[in-house]
Amino acid sequence: MKKSIIFCLSALVLTIAGLSSCSSDDNDISANSLCKTTWKLYGFGTDDAHIQIAEPSGCSACYVVKFNHDGSFSGKTTSNDFSGIYSTENKSFMIVEYETTEVGEVGDGYRFVDAFRSSVQYEIANGKLKLYNNNNDFLIFNPQ
């Protein structure tokens, strides 16, 4: 019984990951796809007029997320590496699987992780990525 549950869950994860797979033309920001793009967090927003810059702001390796062609992602917080599987459909966004190292975060590291993992929608406009949560708060990223 336990093996069949694990098998079913694995099949579900692979099916959802397949929905995220890129088509051959989804390879740049102009395609409004996350596929094969890399982003660096700029800040946290409640609306376009109220954006708080992520701290530490001078860390070039912090808050980077790479979305791969196969529906996987990887990145770096302030102190940890993370990876997983994401799914998109139209503009909806879902983290299907998330793994991370577990070193204590500094600055806005914990805030970033919580906001990233709770994202439910994405938008690419004016060369920037926004990941929204259910409260319409968002993370805003610049391309890297």
Side-chain angles (χ1 to χ4, degrees):
M1 178 70 171
K2 197 177 207 181
K3 287 183 180 180
S4 66
I5 291 172
I6 291 171
F7 176 77
C8 289
L9 288 174
S10 297
L12 176 64
V13 167
L14 291 174
T15 300
I16 291 172
L19 294 174
S20 297
S21 297
C22 304
S23 64
S24 60
D25 60 346
D26 287 343
N27 61 1
D28 64 35
I29 295 167
S30 63
N32 284 329
S33 170
L34 293 176
C35 189
K36 296 188 237 177
T37 60
T38 303
W39 302 91
K40 175 151 176 55
L41 180 69
Y42 175 73
F44 305 88
T46 53
D47 58 55
D48 287 332
H50 298 94
I51 296 175
Q52 178 186 348
I53 297 172
E55 295 294 334
S57 60
C59 178
S60 62
C62 297
Y63 307 123
V64 174
V65 181
K66 179 180 181 183
F67 294 97
N68 301 308
H69 71 283
D70 61 356
S72 66
F73 65 86
S74 59
K76 179 115 174 93
T77 63
T78 58
S79 305
N80 291 288
D81 295 321
F82 63 90
S83 62
I85 297 171
Y86 72 99
S87 175
T88 61
E89 185 175 337
N90 297 320
K91 296 299 177 188
S92 67
F93 176 85
M94 181 174 68
I95 301 291
V96 178
E97 186 178 307
Y98 184 88
E99 297 178 359
T100 186
T101 54
E102 296 183 1
V103 177
E105 297 288 350
V106 297
D108 289 319
Y110 290 114
R111 183 178 180 192
F112 168 73
V113 170
D114 290 343
F116 181 73
R117 292 188 70 186
S118 65
S119 297
V120 296
Q121 186 177 1
Y122 80 97
E123 170 185 50
I124 299 173
N126 301 318
K128 298 188 181 302
L129 167 66
K130 290 182 182 176
L131 293 177
Y132 294 89
N133 67 18
N134 281 326
N135 297 327
N136 240 13
D137 294 337
F138 58 88
L139 297 170
I140 186 165
F141 296 83
N142 290 316
Q144 184 162 3

